[in-house]
Amino acid sequence: MSSTDRGYDHLYGARVIDRDGAFVGDVAQVYTDQVNGEALAVTVRTGLFGARRLLVPLINAAVGWHRIDVPYLRAHVNSAPPAGTPVRSARDAYRHLSPVTEAEIAAHYELTTLR
């Protein structure tokens, strides 16, 4: 699937739930692999009015329809690297992560890779 396909639209607005069943936030953006289009991570809106946007990898996550269960605690997600400036229209296109950002996310979540 290429990054221009709409195969991940159902993830926008999905509720992200931590390993203890606590609500973390809602998905604002999907990040895909530049080569195969696989979804690698999502930006989660957290905090008051969803003002904070944090990156969460999808590896080892249970992805369902409008729900993503991640194997991390909410506190760990809340200390994740920020996603940067939010995109005005989240559905314009899927985004890609730079190699540096991928490495930062993997390190924060104690992963060797996001794939």
Side-chain angles (χ1 to χ4, degrees):
M1 171 183 305
S2 75
S3 63
T4 58
D5 289 338
R6 305 314 266 179
Y8 298 115
D9 280 355
H10 69 281
L11 295 180
Y12 288 96
R15 297 173 55 86
V16 176
I17 308 299
D18 82 351
R19 71 177 185 202
D20 287 343
F23 175 71
V24 176
D26 297 313
V27 173
Q29 184 65 55
V30 177
Y31 292 85
T32 61
D33 184 282
Q34 292 181 25
V35 176
N36 66 16
E38 177 185 2
L40 297 178
V42 293
T43 298
V44 178
R45 290 186 298 255
T46 66
L48 189 60
F49 305 113
R52 294 182 63 216
R53 293 172 187 243
L54 305 169
L55 291 164
V56 180
L58 292 178
I59 193 169
N60 301 323
V63 178
W65 199 259
H66 288 287
R67 179 178 171 135
I68 300 172
D69 291 279
V70 296
Y72 312 105
L73 291 172
R74 180 171 51 191
H76 194 75
V77 173
N78 284 332
S79 65
T85 306
V87 178
R88 284 258 183 228
S89 176
R91 292 181 185 223
D92 282 345
Y94 301 124
R95 302 292 182 230
H96 304 291
L97 298 169
S98 71
V100 171
T101 302
E102 278 193 43
E104 288 174 355
I105 296 168
H108 176 77
Y109 289 100
E110 299 176 3
L111 301 167
T112 55
T113 182
L114 297 184
R115 292 169 175 76

